[in-house]
């Protein structure tokens, strides 16, 4: 299970002999799902090149505080805001001293000073430097400031001496970083969500669509991210921004949506079909804009679209836990239960779209969670609150499923 999925880690590298280990550390953090960006001090660049760290992290490395160009792209305040955690590894005695006394005279100390996120340092230095009263006082000061310190290991050092001062082993640093995050109920899970309407082309300028705003699907994506999941959001056209950490796959028609879903849903842990997929599409879409014919009507011949939910829930291999939505205007529970059975779903969320204060374009929703064992009504509340409850219920079900398998 990836323990750092969606987590943003700003790795500070300072000028110690252990700086070469920050290359491996970057990789190991990424293996756990983290997005890693790197800040290097000037001294660090004498030990390992920014090019190496850029190639490994996949992002430009941040080096200078007083650089108008980089400040305008992602300056020290943005870097501090971006990070969920700032980890300085290795942290030199000099950096620790400057950080503990509130200096902000280079990019890394300025970022640390501006940061309000979780902070951690992994000191590494010669055993005598580590044992010095000044160093220990500085480390204590950091601890008192709430900075997590990953104390160095004992052993043979690069300088040939033996004692405490070696950088903590990289896998142990990764574990300690992971432990600093609350592991959400869906940590390490991959959730695929469809959202919004689809557009079925009549001609190059006209289409058949519906009133779906995408709000419910996007709120579910946000709730799944909050619960620690990796989220792929396959979305029809909407006017709202997608959650930043979701992977957005924009689509137009039902067929596009099916194609995109079949790329990512098989093998995912959870599939939630929230999109209001058009049941029908024009049999053929005109290549050129249709012209108005004098005093004549126009008959459109429609054919059925593929059923995305049924296709995913019907997978015989790599089938995710499959959840559907039933937007109905009457006989809510009956219709939704029938849909649960005919589409072979694990759960269906029924909502009454006849009431315009809930459902489609509104900010609120009132739903009933239906499974094969029963129903749970969720009282009217914002789509965010409803989404958190739905995600919590899905996580509970999945937990029960894995306990039964075990
Ligand atoms: C070869 C060499 C190795 C060094 N190794 C360390 C080290 O492991 N730990 C440390 O605290 N300082 C070490 N230093 C001293 C730091 O490089 C020096 O204090 C520097 O100012 C640190 O700058 P920074 O904290 O801005 O990166 C070393 C210096 C040299 C020349």
């Amino acid at each position: 299970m990836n323990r750092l999925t969606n987590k943003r880690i700003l790795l500070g590298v300072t000028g110690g002999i252990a700086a070469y280990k920050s290359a491996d550390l970057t990789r190991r953090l990424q293996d756990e799902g983290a997005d890693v960006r790197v800040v290097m001090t000037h001294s660090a660049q004498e030990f390992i090149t920014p090019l190496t760290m850029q190639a490994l992290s996949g992002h430009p490395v941040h080096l200078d505080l007083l650089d108008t160009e980089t400040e305008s792209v992602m300056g020290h305040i943005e870097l501090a805001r971006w990070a969920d955690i700032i980890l300085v590894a290795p942290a030199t005695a000099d950096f620790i001293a400057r950080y503990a006394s509130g200096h902000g005279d280079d990019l890394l100390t300025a970022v640390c000073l501006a940061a309000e996120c979780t902070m951690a340092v992994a000191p590494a230095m010669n055993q005598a430097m580590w044992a010095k009263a000044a160093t220990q006082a500085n480390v204590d000061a950091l601890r008192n400031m709430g900075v997590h310190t990953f104390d160095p290991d004992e052993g043979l050092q690069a300088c040939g001496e033996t004692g405490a001062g070696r950088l903590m082993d990289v896998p142990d640093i990764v574990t300690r970083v992971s432990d600093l995050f609350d592991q959400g109920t869906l940590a390490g899970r991959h959730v695929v969500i469809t959202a919004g309407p689809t557009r079925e082309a009549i001609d190059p300028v006209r289409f058949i669509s519906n009133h779906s705003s995408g709000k419910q699907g996007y709120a579910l994506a946000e709730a799944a991210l909050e619960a620690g999941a990796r989220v792929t959001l396959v979305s029809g056209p909407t006017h709202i921004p997608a959650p930043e950490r979701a992977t957005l796959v924009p689509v137009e028609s039902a067929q596009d949506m099916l194609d995109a879903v079949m790329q990512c849903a098989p093998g995912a842990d959870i599939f939630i079909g929230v999109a209001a997929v058009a049941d029908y599409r024009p049999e053929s879409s005109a290549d050129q804009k249709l012209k108005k014919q004098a005093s004549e009507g126009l008959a459109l011949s429609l054919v059925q679209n593929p059923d995305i939910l049924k296709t995913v829930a019907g997978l015989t291999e790599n089938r995710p836990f499959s959840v559907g939505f039933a937007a109905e205007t009457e006989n809510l529970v009956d219709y939704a239960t029938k849909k649960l059975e005919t589409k072979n779903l694990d759960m269906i969320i029924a909502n009454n779209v006849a009431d315009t204060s809930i459902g489609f374009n509104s900010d609120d929703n009132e739903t009933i969670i239906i499974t094969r064992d029963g129903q749970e009504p969720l009282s009217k509340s914002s789509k965010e609150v409803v989404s958190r409850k739905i995600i919590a219920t899905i996580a509970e079900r999945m937990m029960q499923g894995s306990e039964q398998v075990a």
Side-chain angles (χ1 to χ4, degrees), residues 194-227:
T194 64
T198 62
R199 284 180 180 174
E200 310 301 326
I202 297 171
D203 67 15
V205 296
R206 303 183 180 94
F207 52 79
I208 300 173
S209 192
N210 57 60
H211 289 297
S212 169
S213 63
K215 282 178 190 166
Q216 182 64 72
Y218 283 40
L220 273 161
E222 193 67 67
L225 287 164
E226 267 175 33

Side-chain angles (χ1 to χ4, degrees), residues 234 249 251 253-266 306 308:
V234 181
V249 183
V251 295
S253 68
Q255 186 60 51
D256 294 344
M257 190 171 270
L258 176 68
D259 293 344
V261 162
M262 292 315 282
Q263 292 290 319
C264 52
I308 299 173

Side-chain angles (χ1 to χ4, degrees), residues 156-230:
L156 184 62
Q157 300 202 282
C159 54
E161 296 176 15
T162 303
R166 284 161 55 110
L167 182 71
M168 179 184 277
D169 279 347
V170 165
D172 294 338
I173 296 180
V174 175
T175 304
R176 294 287 293 272
V177 169
S178 306
D179 289 347
L180 294 178
F181 288 105
D182 274 350
Q183 293 300 314
T185 48
L186 291 182
R189 305 282 195 177
H190 181 201
V191 181
V192 176
I193 299 174
T194 64
T198 62
R199 284 180 180 174
E200 310 301 326
I202 297 171
D203 67 15
V205 296
R206 303 183 180 94
F207 52 79
I208 300 173
S209 192
N210 57 60
H211 289 297
S212 169
S213 63
K215 282 178 190 166
Q216 182 64 72
Y218 283 40
L220 273 161
E222 193 67 67
L225 287 164
E226 267 175 33
R230 175 164 70 88

Side-chain angles (χ1 to χ4, degrees), residues 125-380:
M125 63 198 71
N126 163 275
Q127 55 83 24
M129 289 169 83
W130 175 247
K132 278 279 151 23
T135 305
Q136 289 303 314
N138 290 332
V139 172
D140 279 346
L142 290 188
R143 288 195 188 107
N144 290 336
M145 284 157 57
V147 177
H148 299 269
T149 56
F150 302 160
D151 285 353
D153 289 339
E154 292 204 18
L156 184 62
Q157 300 202 282
C159 54
E161 296 176 15
T162 303
R166 284 161 55 110
L167 182 71
M168 179 184 277
D169 279 347
V170 165
D172 294 338
I173 296 180
V174 175
T175 304
R176 294 287 293 272
V177 169
S178 306
D179 289 347
L180 294 178
F181 288 105
D182 274 350
Q183 293 300 314
T185 48
L186 291 182
R189 305 282 195 177
H190 181 201
V191 181
V192 176
I193 299 174
T194 64
T198 62
R199 284 180 180 174
E200 310 301 326
I202 297 171
D203 67 15
V205 296
R206 303 183 180 94
F207 52 79
I208 300 173
S209 192
N210 57 60
H211 289 297
S212 169
S213 63
K215 282 178 190 166
Q216 182 64 72
Y218 283 40
L220 273 161
E222 193 67 67
L225 287 164
E226 267 175 33
R230 175 164 70 88
V231 175
T232 306
L233 181 61
V234 181
S235 175
T238 68
H239 297 288
I240 51 175
E244 239 183 67
R245 298 182 196 206
T247 303
L248 179 70
V249 183
V251 295
E252 290 261 330
S253 68
Q255 186 60 51
D256 294 344
M257 190 171 270
L258 176 68
D259 293 344
V261 162
M262 292 315 282
Q263 292 290 319
C264 52
D269 295 289
I270 299 162
F271 175 73
I272 313 177
V274 195
V277 182
D279 288 331
Y280 295 93
R281 67 174 182 277
E283 191 169 20
S284 61
S285 146
D287 290 340
Q288 304 297 333
K289 185 181 168 198
L290 294 174
K291 292 311 226 188
K292 190 152 109 185
Q293 308 288 327
S295 72
E296 279 182 31
L298 176 69
L300 276 179
S301 172
L302 301 178
V303 292
Q304 231 172 58
N305 265 327
D307 190 324
I308 299 173
L309 204 46
K310 199 171 176 180
T311 308
V312 175
L315 285 170
T316 49
E317 273 177 40
N318 295 324
R319 177 187 180 276
F321 184 91
S322 300
V323 182
F325 266 70
E328 305 291 350
T329 51
E330 55 176 352
N331 300 333
L332 192 55
V333 173
D334 278 1
Y335 286 157
T337 309
K338 213 163 274 164
K339 200 167 164 184
L340 177 87
E341 280 159 13
T342 55
K343 299 196 186 207
N344 189 33
L345 304 177
D346 299 293
M347 183 184 286
I348 195 156
I349 319 297
N351 64 328
N352 184 352
V353 285
D355 177 349
T356 52
S357 72
I358 55 174
F360 271 157
N361 246 314
S362 73
D363 292 328
D364 293 335
N365 211 347
E366 183 177 346
T367 59
I368 306 172
I369 300 181
I370 303 174
T371 60
R372 277 155 218 281
D373 330 320
Q375 305 172 14
E376 186 188 348
L378 302 183
S379 53
K380 182 173 169 179

